[in-house]
Amino acid sequence: MAETSIEWTDATWNPVAGCLIISPGCTNCYAMRMAARLEAMRVPKYEGLTRKSGQRYIWTGKVRLDEASLDIPLKWKKPRKIFVNSMSDLFHADVPAEFIARVWSVMERTPQHTYQILTKRPERMREVLTTLGLPALEHVWLGTSVEDAAVLPRLDDLRATPAIIRFVSFEPLIGSVANANLTDIHWAIVGGESGPRARPMNQIWVDEIRLRCRTFGTAFFFKQWGGKNKKTAGRTYLGQTWDELPSLQ
């Protein structure tokens, strides 16, 4: 587990590492670059998880379960918002359901924390959690990534997943999602892509999401404009920062 600069969380916890590109939102994933750097630093956990493709590194599709990391949250007494698997996807097809259940057990035993699980595979999340009968927990927020209109159906799978708090990350936002159905979605994060190959985000797309949030009563969090230098671009939208969080009320 490590402290993080990600604006909507406090720390990351990675009991799984490695992933696979499955949609355009994955194209410039920061985690691929980070995994390649960690492998170059001879961190065994990341060995063989990426390969060179042209001028960049991409996932090989291999995932690695990190048994040693499982119990780390049990040692953290101070409450934190924890992003689960920032370097992978807990619901990758090669992560066994039994291992997911073990992750769930650790989260259930540490209610002082708030866990944020973000997946591009909400159909498997729905299937695994339903099949195993894992309890919906107030402090475990379940989310999916939606980068453009082509993957909006992910929200339907998220809605069908047992959860108390559901959220969507519109990041990297690379197209309009003006028709997003935010019924039973409690929180929306919006952000532009960052990094050397960042694709631009249109303000109109952000406007559309904010309007949908107001229509459906969804908390709106604007993370960043992104770009090659995300710090310069900043995270001010309409003259202010937007750090709304979901409510259980």
Side-chain angles (χ1 to χ4, degrees):
M1 188 183 292
E3 301 299 318
T4 179
S5 61
I6 297 173
E7 290 81 355
W8 47 266
T9 196
D10 300 321
T12 59
W13 173 41
N14 285 287
V16 181
C19 205
L20 179 69
I21 293 175
I22 62 169
S23 69
C26 304
T27 301
N28 298 317
C29 177
Y30 74 91
M32 296 189 295
R33 300 194 302 272
M34 179 63 72
R37 287 199 293 269
L38 290 169
E39 180 177 14
M41 294 166 61
R42 302 187 183 279
V43 179
K45 180 174 178 175
Y46 295 95
E47 183 179 352
L49 299 187
T50 60
R51 64 178 177 83
K52 192 77 175 287
S53 176
Q55 299 300 311
R56 65 194 183 108
Y57 285 89
I58 64 172
W59 295 122
T60 61
K62 181 179 181 180
V63 299
R64 182 165 290 120
L65 309 182
D66 186 3
E67 300 272 349
S69 293
L70 269 178
D71 291 341
I72 289 177
L74 300 174
K75 304 172 184 177
W76 283 46
K77 304 306 179 185
K78 178 183 176 181
R80 287 171 169 82
K81 293 194 295 291
I82 300 172
F83 180 13
V84 181
N85 281 329
S86 63
M87 297 295 292
S88 182
D89 189 325
L90 185 62
F91 295 96
H92 186 289
D94 292 337
V95 179
E98 295 77 11
F99 191 83
I100 294 171
R102 293 174 65 190
V103 170
W104 211 264
S105 175
V106 171
M107 296 190 298
E108 191 170 10
R109 292 156 59 194
T110 50
Q112 73 271 26
H113 301 312
T114 297
Y115 293 93
Q116 300 155 313
I117 302 177
L118 187 59
T119 182
K120 283 187 172 68
R121 300 161 174 84
E123 70 287 349
R124 184 163 192 253
M125 179 168 67
R126 170 181 50 79
E127 176 188 355
V128 170
L129 299 188
T130 302
T131 300
L132 294 181
L134 296 176
L137 303 170
E138 285 190 1
H139 66 292
V140 177
W141 302 355
L142 302 184
T144 192
S145 298
V146 172
E147 63 264 30
D148 59 22
V151 293
L152 277 173
R154 289 176 183 168
L155 292 174
D156 296 326
D157 283 304
L158 178 60
R159 255 187 296 277
T161 303
I164 295 174
I165 294 291
R166 299 182 184 89
F167 70 101
V168 56
S169 174
F170 293 112
E171 185 189 11
L173 186 62
I174 57 175
S176 171
V177 290
N179 295 319
N181 179 1
L182 298 183
T183 301
D184 294 329
I185 307 299
H186 307 94
W187 191 32
I189 302 166
V190 181
E193 191 167 60
S194 61
R197 298 177 179 84
R199 291 161 285 184
M201 179 175 66
N202 192 318
Q203 180 173 333
I204 292 175
W205 305 339
V206 183
D207 297 339
E208 292 167 345
I209 294 172
R210 188 176 73 92
L211 179 59
R212 299 300 276 178
C213 286
R214 293 298 173 259
T215 300
F216 287 91
T218 303
F220 175 80
F221 190 106
F222 185 72
K223 180 176 179 286
Q224 63 181 30
W225 286 106
K228 292 183 179 180
N229 190 330
K230 67 177 185 179
K231 290 185 178 179
T232 299
R235 54 186 305 262
T236 300
Y237 165 63
L238 298 181
Q240 67 178 85
T241 55
W242 301 77
D243 292 339
E244 296 174 3
L245 293 172
S247 171
L248 292 174
Q249 301 303 320

